[in-house]
Amino acid sequence: MRFHFEAFDGAGNLIEDDVEAASTDEARDIIRARGVTPYEVRASGGGDFLFREISLERGSRRVNDAQLARLARDLAVLLQAGLPLDTVLRIASTTTEEPRMRALALQLMEGVQQGSMLAEIMEGMPGRFRPEYIRIVQAGDVGADLGGAMQELAELLDRRVEIRSRIRSAMAYPALLVCLAAVSISIVLGLLVPAVTPLFLENGMPLPTVLAAMEAVRQNGAWLLGLAAAILVIGGLGILAARRSTALRIKLDRLYLSLPVIGRIAELREAGRFMRTLATLVKAGVPPLQALQASCPLVRNQHTRERLDRAVTDVRAGVSIGEAVSAAEALPSVAQQMITVGEESGRLQDMLLRAAVILERQEQVRTSRALAALTPVITIFVAGMIAVIIFSVMGAVLSINELALR
């Protein structure tokens, strides 16, 4: 099996290559035998969704962020008290109430007792942890401050859980409106339209436009649903196939970032994730260039990733990080300014953390505003749609009454 890896050589440069091995652990041993320190090891071809092996194992599911936040906070407290990592994990396995987290803590403890680093163990559990979480733990391993890294991870998870909770709360009312609208339309199509339509047809009167449209939908409902499903499937497969081409994926991701509202939110989310990971690595003592190189793979948007890679090339050529990022226009202006100020003042780590906090807050504010605007928009749309149906039916009923009077 082929594994792609990123590793640091003796000069601190980040290198990438592929190795053949039977497992991730064997791949790490082969990489270390080359005289380099593995940073990330993953199976090659992970993005090939058509040929990916499907796993139904329960342990392959991603860990819940809220549960992971509680575990990370417990580990941070115990580690900062000076306890060894295997003892901390053993204690955490006995104090956690969730069976799944208890099993996870025991699994991590077994790996630590076998001599592996915590980040390596987490990375060897595909799909269980997000890459940025592994990077934070990895920075704690490198900087010998795993307790601080766990505390930072817990705070990051708490913020994400809070944001998701607010989003769910804000989406509850619009979702209820959509459900009620769907029920209302189903009642109209299933009961009212079949009862009113024969009255017009039997008397040779044309159906009102809205009723005619509803009758067409009712009679061809199965065909329309099949067509809609086929369009969605074909469109989804087309997008996934296009994203397998680097050039097309960059164009799609650039188009996504240009969308109103959601594009800006996505840009802030990518930038915030990148800045926080970069700050964590710099805080752990990783040289800025290597930290920049290691943070780039966490960026999922290929358009942003391509610009950051261009900035890495400029930094490698001797340009400052702030100048390179500004020239590549890879990040929002506030991030560019904070990086430049941090380099000029010698407080790069602090400025990176502040920039990450600012970007995360901007994302949260924009998301809240978008959701706040979504509720009245959906309310007006649903109310208008119901009103059109009601007035159409009332008009049809009045037409029938006029016909009966004649």
Side-chain angles (χ1 to χ4, degrees), residues 320-346:
S320 68
I321 297 178
E323 292 177 354
V325 171
S326 299
E329 298 181 349
L331 298 172
S333 58
V334 62
Q336 301 173 12
Q337 295 169 4
M338 298 291 275
I339 292 174
T340 301
V341 171
E343 288 184 313
E344 293 176 352
S345 62

Side-chain angles (χ1 to χ4, degrees), residues 122-145:
M122 295 171 64
E123 196 171 12
M125 302 177 181
R128 297 288 290 276
F129 303 96
R130 296 182 186 274
E132 57 266 33
Y133 302 167
I134 298 176
R135 290 293 179 272
I136 292 175
V137 176
Q138 200 165 36
D141 286 333
V142 173
D145 185 19

Side-chain angles (χ1 to χ4, degrees), residues 28 32 85 108 111-112 114-123 137-138 140-144 146:
R28 290 184 180 278
R32 292 192 181 97
L85 180 56
L108 294 174
V112 170
Q114 293 173 2
S116 300
M117 304 290 284
L118 184 58
E120 293 180 356
I121 304 169
M122 295 171 64
E123 196 171 12
V137 176
Q138 200 165 36
D141 286 333
V142 173
L146 191 55

